[in-house]
Amino acid sequence: MDTAPRSAVVVNPVKVPDLGELRRIITEALAAAGWPEPMWRETTVEDPGAGQAARAVRDGAEVVFVCGGDGTVMACVSALAGTDVALAVLPAGTGNLLAANLGLGGDLATGIEVALQGGRRRIDVGCVGEQSFAVMAGMGFDAQMLDATSETAKKHVGWLAYVAGAVRHLRDRPMRVRISLDGGPAFTRRPRTVIVGNVGRLQGGMRLLSAAEPDDGLLDVAVLSPRTLRHWLALAWGVLRRREAVARMETFTASTVEIRSNRPQPRQLDGDLIEPGDELRVTVRPRALLLCVPRPANDPDLAHDAGAVSRDADEIRDVTRA
């Protein structure tokens, strides 16, 4: 870039223990790289991030840093999809599904440095009505698990809190659904959950959809149908071992997925609950979202080696501690 890009920070104040410190770290890191001071936008209960991100675009931001949980990131994805404004994820909260799938971990300095280095990648986004998601949508057990997991537990034990939420619903009755892929004939299943993914990793690093690619123009679908605790254990073991065929799990790919249940079911997008419903219709927008990602070591324009992000993140920590 010939000139330093303008940027904005969309932050969920509930997820950040010290807003003043966060602002200082980001502002000083950007200043050290020659970037102008970022615009600052805090989310509210009424607007979890979409409005703030859209305003940042209107105000000329070229990079939007998002610091919050999965709901904040998802709201910003909805606002930035279809634009040339890059999304930079600064992990906060507990889930951070998109950050985990990008390999960014939970480190603020690393997230900043990734954006500063200029690595960019366009990925697909999934759409459910007016909302967009970058990781996955789900109907059934996965949303029940999220609903049963308390914020207090997540703060104290992190992603392991979801395990307790899952245990509460292991023996619930299955759904009865009809699934149609790309407008084809519907088929009937009695699953515990149906997950539609753009990328494959779940909470805790478990890779459910091993073939999912975020920029292939397709959605990956997993239909999970365990009936007993033994079935659940076999399914989990197969996923952990990354077997091609996993007991009690069917996988498909499509660009449009329609799931209809005989009764309303809990639903989620990118780890954030949405209104329960008896239908989940998901479409894909190919390469609609521009993401800040680590630049590859073989990038001819990259003046850093494979350890550059880590070392430069250390420099950011040193600057902001001074």
Side-chain angles (χ1 to χ4, degrees):
M1 298 180 184
D2 295 330
T3 59
R6 298 185 65 192
S7 64
V9 180
V10 176
V11 58
N12 182 347
V14 175
K15 299 291 186 179
V16 178
D18 190 336
L19 279 173
E21 179 68 2
L22 175 72
R23 189 164 192 165
R24 183 187 70 82
I25 291 172
I26 294 173
T27 300
E28 291 183 7
L30 298 189
W35 286 34
E37 184 172 348
M39 297 172 273
W40 197 263
R41 305 281 185 261
E42 292 185 15
T43 67
T44 63
V45 174
E46 295 77 19
D47 188 341
Q52 293 84 350
R55 182 181 170 191
V57 174
R58 292 194 299 269
D59 290 343
E62 297 166 73
V63 177
V64 174
F65 293 90
V66 181
C67 189
D70 290 323
T72 308
V73 174
M74 185 186 70
C76 292
V77 166
S78 294
L80 298 181
T83 75
D84 291 323
V85 178
L87 171 68
V89 180
L90 302 181
T94 303
N96 295 305
L97 283 171
L98 183 56
N101 277 276
L102 292 174
L104 296 179
D107 186 84
L108 176 64
T110 300
I112 297 171
E113 182 53 34
V114 164
L116 294 177
Q117 282 196 3
R120 303 289 184 264
R121 182 183 183 183
R122 283 203 169 273
I123 69 168
D124 308 331
V125 298
C127 299
V128 175
E130 297 298 316
Q131 294 178 285
S132 298
F133 65 91
V135 180
M136 58 185 62
M139 185 181 205
F141 171 78
D142 59 317
Q144 288 176 317
M145 174 189 70
L146 293 169
D147 191 35
T149 305
S150 73
E151 290 296 323
T152 301
K154 287 192 288 184
K155 287 179 181 178
H156 284 88
V157 299
W159 67 266
L160 287 172
Y162 294 105
V163 175
V167 168
R168 297 181 190 179
H169 291 284
L170 286 179
R171 298 184 182 278
D172 288 3
R173 61 175 176 159
M175 304 184 291
R176 187 184 298 276
V177 301
R178 291 176 61 81
I179 302 170
S180 176
L181 306 175
D182 291 332
F187 55 91
T188 302
R189 293 291 186 273
R190 296 202 66 198
R192 290 299 316 280
T193 191
V194 181
I195 294 174
V196 182
N198 187 40
V199 293
R201 288 182 62 183
L202 300 172
Q203 308 288 3
M206 182 181 289
R207 189 167 182 83
L208 179 69
L209 298 165
S210 59
E213 293 291 342
D215 55 2
D216 61 0
L218 293 171
L219 299 164
D220 287 68
V221 184
V223 182
L224 278 61
S225 305
R227 293 286 186 273
T228 66
L229 180 58
R230 184 176 179 178
H231 291 165
W232 277 113
L233 292 173
L235 192 157
W237 181 246
V239 171
L240 286 170
R241 294 292 300 272
R242 299 190 178 184
R243 292 176 176 168
E244 290 187 13
V246 176
R248 302 286 169 171
M249 184 172 85
E250 297 175 277
T251 58
F252 308 89
T253 58
S255 57
T256 301
V257 182
E258 296 182 59
I259 308 158
R260 291 187 174 87
S261 172
N262 63 331
R263 63 182 189 275
Q265 303 290 343
R267 305 180 299 169
Q268 61 87 15
L269 302 181
D270 278 359
D272 205 50
L273 290 167
I274 61 173
E275 193 72 23
D278 58 9
E279 180 182 53
L280 187 68
R281 185 177 190 276
V282 189
T283 58
V284 66
R285 294 178 64 185
R287 299 172 62 84
L289 182 67
L290 186 63
L291 272 180
C292 295
V293 297
R295 295 179 71 173
N298 60 359
D299 188 334
D301 296 324
L302 181 60
H304 302 74
D305 61 24
V309 169
S310 178
R311 291 197 301 273
D312 291 346
D314 288 339
E315 291 179 9
I316 290 175
R317 295 186 192 96
D318 292 341
V319 168
T320 55
R321 288 191 193 111

